[in-house]
Amino acid sequence: MKKWGKRIGYGIGDLGCNLVFSTMASYLMVFYTDVFGISAAAAGTMMLVTKFIDAFTDTGMGLIVDRTNTRWGQGRPYFIVGAVPFAVFTVLTFIIPDFGSTGKLIWAYVTYCLLCTAYTVVNIPLNTIVPRLTSDVHERDILVSTRMICAMAGTAIVMTITSPLVKYFGQGSEARGYLITMSMYGVLAMLIFFITFASTKEVVPPTINQKHSSLREDFKGLTGQAWILFLLNLFYFSLYVVRSTTVIYYFKYNLGREDWLSLVGILGILSGLPMLLLLPALEKHFSKRNLMFFSVALYVAGDLVIFAGKNSAACLLLGLVITGLGIYGIFGITFSMQPDVIDYSEYRKNASVSGLIAAFQGFFVKGGMGLTSFIIGAFLKSGGYIANTVQTAKALSYIEICFIWIPIILCAAITVLTWFYKLDNIRKEMTDALEARRSTSDF
């Protein structure tokens, strides 16, 4: 029972993150274009610029975590530090001020940057802490899967009840509905971060103290396998943003099934639950590399079912289920690779750079998300998309390309990168070597 308290306490941290993160990925573009009142191109550009700013704050946060040494651990204290700002900036992001078009755009830039920074403060430690919670590889896989399930639950909540809540609280005013709904999400996330702090404990120290190392020395601790992980995060989260954002446009405009969006959220997300539940067991028998190949193949197959069966409700629903299995397989495996990559830096480079690795993950994740949002905005504009109107044939074809074909290109990139991942074969060797070093370390 104590183990499950730790697992759930750690996992729900990502539920808290995803209450807001998934809203940003799925609804923020629509909120900015259809409610806040800025163009798709301006919203896409803003997301690109702010994400790259935010990517640099990730690096700074990673370096801070690596140099933190308190009685609560390296990463755990920041769940408390970031909780309240996260709630406050969530609310501010969804306030629509009466400042005129330029003033509103500045407000959007500033509040979105602040929200992303608060997210960084809690999310970077969440990414770094697994190797410090346990040295048991199977237990780590369970922790990661628990986190992914909780993240999926957060996303499911967002995709399922956000639109109904906005309508309920808005009573005809989407602006009011979004503000009340997101205020609830922000406060709930804050309380969850407090629970995560109370439920976890860092018991596995690093084999080396990075407190007095230079930035140059930290960068030397990054391995080729770390760069593969960073790029996998870039392409996975680009895939996630494309799917989460354009599914709304595709079902609303191309298929004329806006009333399906809640059901789409349920099937597209909760369909991944079996994959996440099975991953710890599967990882005992199959390499992460082969499981990634399988997950990518599932996603592509589901995507093609949706494309081929666009006029069939059964095909659409089946395709959503299959892509859900695939995308959450990719999701879970990418994050289960991270503790191995962190250990590999300690094993190969004698460097404890978990914070820097998590920071670069965040850099590539947010850079990829920003670039993808920019591309989607620019692509929709070039296709002639105009919000809340009947779309032209050209606009509909551009929406289809975003939803169906760009994800397949991203899946191909993930497959190529995974081919070069090699840590499955040396996992036991790394564990034994690091345990031997800790037994003789004074740190």
Side-chain angles (χ1 to χ4, degrees), residues 82-221:
V84 174
F86 188 82
V88 171
F89 297 136
T90 296
V91 175
L92 292 179
T93 298
F94 286 85
I95 288 176
I96 305 176
D98 187 18
F99 288 165
S101 58
T102 302
K104 285 169 69 176
L105 189 59
I106 292 171
W107 175 269
Y109 267 87
V110 172
T111 55
Y112 187 48
C113 276
L114 290 172
L115 175 56
C116 289
T117 300
Y119 176 86
T120 293
V121 172
V122 294
N123 193 255
I124 291 294
L126 198 66
N127 285 338
T128 65
I129 202 173
V130 171
R132 305 294 162 239
L133 297 179
T134 178
S135 59
D136 181 271
V137 175
H138 182 59
E139 179 64 19
R140 288 180 179 183
D141 289 339
I142 294 174
L143 284 167
V144 169
S145 287
T146 304
R147 177 187 172 186
M148 297 302 100
I149 291 168
C150 290
M152 182 186 65
T155 303
I157 290 169
V158 166
M159 292 297 292
T160 305
I161 70 171
T162 296
S163 290
L165 286 178
V166 169
K167 289 179 182 178
Y168 175 77
F169 290 119
Q171 296 295 309
S173 169
E174 284 191 290
R176 181 172 180 269
Y178 270 108
L179 179 58
I180 294 174
T181 300
M182 295 312 300
S183 297
M184 291 171 54
Y185 287 173
V187 171
L188 181 56
M190 176 185 69
L191 297 175
I192 286 171
F193 297 140
F194 292 153
I195 294 171
T196 298
F197 173 84
S199 303
T200 54
K201 185 177 182 181
E202 297 184 34
V203 296
V204 181
T207 59
I208 186 170
N209 189 345
Q210 294 290 123
K211 188 174 182 180
H212 302 295
S213 66
S214 67
L215 180 59
R216 183 177 180 182
E217 288 172 331
D218 283 2
F219 272 88
K220 287 181 179 180

Side-chain angles (χ1 to χ4, degrees), residues 65-68 70 72-78 132 202 206 352 354:
V65 169
D66 284 337
R67 285 157 176 76
T68 298
T70 73
W72 298 289
Q74 285 187 301
R76 189 165 158 254
Y78 297 104
R132 305 294 162 239
E202 297 184 34
S352 176
S354 60

Side-chain angles (χ1 to χ4, degrees), residues 272-293:
L273 181 60
M275 179 66 79
L276 293 177
L277 289 171
L278 287 171
L279 267 182
L282 291 172
E283 286 167 339
K284 275 188 167 183
H285 301 287
F286 302 98
S287 68
K288 292 182 175 71
R289 188 169 176 262
N290 287 339
L291 288 171
M292 182 69 87
F293 291 148

